[in-house]
């Protein structure tokens, strides 16, 4: 990866959590789309990701990017039992909200709203934070996600029992663990490599 640090762009940054679509500005030089080889596209998994500065930056190491992207897709898109997609996205949103990753929170809040049809509750989470009251089931999911995000040792038997009490089976709990853990890592990566930006007006 290039060690060239980019000069800060003259961009307007979001200052609140939002479900709006945001841009993202890298602090290191990403690849250019014209530099991509078939190995890079294999790492991107979806060729459309070649339009994203974030994925073009990660494409400096296409093999690791490929592993990262396939893991991401399996956690969030695998339909075989487990947690509904809306609640996997809720976990990613809560984790990102707690970690302060405005960009990731915006992406996964939109997905959580789309799949749950609970736009106002997702916005409440963004506006009020992870301690807001979303109802017992979602409260249990958010509380578990935040505990795991703070440090895995914070997760106790009481967290698991609470999840079981609101209807989660073993497969759903595994999905919840993976959703929170993946985005706890992904937030830190994104926050260390660049910053979100508001779309430029046309």
């Amino acid at each position: 990866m290039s060690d060239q640090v980019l000069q800060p762009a003259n961009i307007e940054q979001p200052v609140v959590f939002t479900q709006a679509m945001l841009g993202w500005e890298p602090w290191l030089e990403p690849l250019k789309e014209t530099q991509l080889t078939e190995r890079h596209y294999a790492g991107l998994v979806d060729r459309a990701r070649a339009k994203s500065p974030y994925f073009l930056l990660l494409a400096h190491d296409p093999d690791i990017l490929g592993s990262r992207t396939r893991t991401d897709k399996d956690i969030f898109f695998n339909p075989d039992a487990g947690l509904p997609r809306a609640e996997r996205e809720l976990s990613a949103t809560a984790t990102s909200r707690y970690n302060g990753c405005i960009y990731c929170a915006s992406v996964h809040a939109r997905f959580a709203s789309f799949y749950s049809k609970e736009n106002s509750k997702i916005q409440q989470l963004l506006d009020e934070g992870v301690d807001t009251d979303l109802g017992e089931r979602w409260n249990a999911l958010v509380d578990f996600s935040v505990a795991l995000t703070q440090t895995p040792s914070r997760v106790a038997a009481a967290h698991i029992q609470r999840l079981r009490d609101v209807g989660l089976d073993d497969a759903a709990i595994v999905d919840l663990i993976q959703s929170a853990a993946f985005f706890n890592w992904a937030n830190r990566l994104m926050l260390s490599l660049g910053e979100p930006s508001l779309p430029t007006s046309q």
Side-chain angles (χ1 to χ4, degrees):
M1 183 180 294
S2 169
D3 59 2
Q4 179 182 354
V5 178
L6 299 179
Q7 293 298 315
N10 184 20
I11 60 169
E12 187 177 358
Q13 292 183 299
V15 295
V16 296
F17 287 88
T18 176
Q19 295 189 56
M21 294 191 67
L22 300 174
W24 187 81
E25 304 296 326
W27 292 331
L28 297 171
E29 188 71 45
L31 292 176
K32 294 179 175 58
E33 193 172 350
T34 55
Q35 296 176 286
L36 299 181
T37 66
E38 285 306 312
R39 182 179 169 213
H40 292 113
Y41 282 114
L44 289 165
V45 180
D46 291 330
R47 295 179 80 92
R49 294 189 178 199
K51 303 298 183 184
S52 162
Y54 180 63
F55 289 110
L56 286 174
L57 180 57
L58 299 187
H60 280 287
D61 194 326
D63 299 328
I64 290 178
L65 173 57
S67 296
R68 174 241 177 257
T69 303
R70 287 187 292 273
T71 299
D72 182 6
K73 283 182 166 292
D74 193 48
I75 290 170
F76 289 95
F77 291 83
N78 190 331
D80 296 337
L83 204 62
R85 173 75 184 274
E87 293 180 337
R88 301 181 203 194
E89 299 293 350
L90 171 69
S91 175
T93 303
T95 299
S96 301
R97 178 63 174 84
Y98 179 79
N99 281 333
C101 189
I102 290 178
Y103 184 90
C104 290
S106 73
V107 172
H108 293 279
R110 287 196 302 276
F111 280 128
S113 287
F114 176 81
Y115 286 104
S116 71
K117 311 305 180 190
E118 294 280 4
N119 182 283
S120 61
K121 287 175 71 172
I122 298 300
Q123 190 60 46
Q124 180 183 335
L125 172 62
L126 295 179
D127 291 343
E128 299 179 10
V130 295
D131 293 326
T132 194
D133 183 5
L134 301 173
E136 181 52 30
R137 181 178 170 100
W138 278 19
N139 288 348
L141 270 61
V142 169
D143 186 53
F144 179 91
S145 299
V146 170
L148 188 65
T149 296
Q150 289 172 332
T151 180
S153 62
R154 262 215 64 212
V155 174
H159 288 99
I160 301 299
Q161 186 58 55
R162 187 181 183 190
L163 294 176
R164 296 199 187 286
D165 289 344
V166 297
L168 273 66
D169 60 13
D170 287 350
I173 292 171
V174 168
D175 280 342
L176 183 63
I177 291 169
Q178 291 177 337
S179 300
F182 184 86
F183 263 87
N184 195 22
W185 169 81
N187 293 161
R188 285 160 168 73
L189 182 63
M190 178 160 267
L191 287 167
S192 68
L193 294 175
E195 58 195 341
S197 61
L198 293 171
T200 56
S201 57
Q202 300 298 321

